Amino acid sequence: MNFDRIVCFDLEMCCWNDGRTSRTGEIIEIGVAELDLNTGRIVRRAQHYVRPEHDEISPFCTELTGIKPDLIEKNGKPLATILRSIEQKFGGRHKIYGAWGHDDRILKKECAAKELKEPFREYLNLATLFKLQRHVTNKRLGQRAAMEIAGVSWEGRQHSGYVDAYNLARLAATMFCEQDVLTNDK
């Protein structure tokens, strides 16, 4: 297990606002950003579009995520292919993965439904870890609000897996990296 790096990831899923019981469906994007805990630098990033097998991208989903059906048709790959790529490029089960909230459960559930191997063994819920800090008094906050508390400005379009994973890695740096590394090394 590599304890010098955290691979932050973010999922975007098919979603609707038409009153369905389930408001999200299959994964359509996985954003990944690897943080070197010794330097506080993001050393690798990736964006993967996933072609859903049973869902379609609604106009609401496109509005929220910016992901259009033709983008997925052109650039999307099966989830199995994406997970193999992430495992090869980011170390798979030899790295610690982290996300804001329960993206691990979503990924595990979809992997089980599609009979795929999960890409990680170790997972950190960075939302929980952030909220455990003494200076955090509001325990019901999202990633963007947490970044404001940490003094890190949001960069890019929210609800893009690629952007959200990058911003999460930046937030994780404030939680796990020495302050002098963050100020002197960037």
Side-chain angles (χ1 to χ4, degrees):
M1 184 66 58
N2 183 333
F3 292 97
D4 294 329
R5 300 209 172 168
I6 294 176
V7 180
C8 297
F9 72 97
D10 185 78
L11 307 176
E12 299 301 328
M13 287 82 63
C14 291
C15 52
W16 310 270
N17 67 344
D18 59 6
R20 296 179 196 206
T21 303
S22 175
R23 296 179 54 217
T24 60
E26 287 181 272
I27 297 166
I28 55 173
E29 183 191 9
I30 303 176
V32 187
E34 185 172 356
L35 173 66
D36 183 319
L37 297 172
N38 295 313
T39 65
R41 290 181 184 235
I42 296 166
V43 295
R44 190 174 316 158
R45 293 173 69 184
Q47 179 177 38
H48 299 281
Y49 291 112
V50 181
R51 185 175 291 133
E53 295 176 13
H54 307 289
D55 285 333
E56 58 186 56
I57 299 167
S58 69
F60 171 74
C61 187
T62 296
E63 182 180 325
L64 182 67
T65 66
I67 299 171
K68 297 178 180 176
D70 60 334
L71 177 68
I72 294 296
E73 187 62 37
K74 181 178 178 184
N75 298 311
K77 294 182 174 55
L79 182 60
T81 302
I82 300 302
L83 295 179
R84 277 193 304 276
S85 177
I86 290 171
E87 192 167 2
Q88 290 171 352
K89 292 178 184 172
F90 290 90
R93 298 173 159 281
H94 302 291
K95 296 277 180 68
I96 298 170
Y97 284 71
W100 188 265
H102 299 291
D103 279 12
D104 66 315
R105 292 181 190 172
I106 295 166
L107 184 57
K108 285 178 183 182
K109 183 179 177 184
E110 193 160 329
C111 284
K114 295 179 178 180
E115 299 179 351
L116 302 173
K117 182 176 83 170
E118 296 170 31
F120 50 76
R121 222 179 277 157
E122 295 289 331
Y123 171 79
L124 299 174
N125 180 331
L126 296 175
T128 300
L129 293 174
F130 185 84
K131 294 170 190 177
L132 287 172
Q133 297 177 94
R134 288 181 207 264
H135 70 278
V136 178
T137 56
N138 180 0
K139 303 301 181 187
R140 295 185 52 83
L141 52 91
Q143 180 181 335
R144 194 167 189 150
M147 290 182 68
E148 287 176 23
I149 291 170
V152 180
S153 61
W154 188 273
E155 292 183 15
R157 183 188 201 285
Q158 195 168 5
H159 299 298
S160 157
Y162 183 69
V163 170
D164 291 357
Y166 170 72
N167 282 307
L168 183 59
R170 294 173 61 233
L171 177 61
T174 70
M175 296 166 56
F176 301 116
C177 299
E178 297 293 328
Q179 194 60 36
D180 60 334
V181 168
L182 295 175
T183 54
N184 295 331
D185 204 27
K186 286 196 172 181

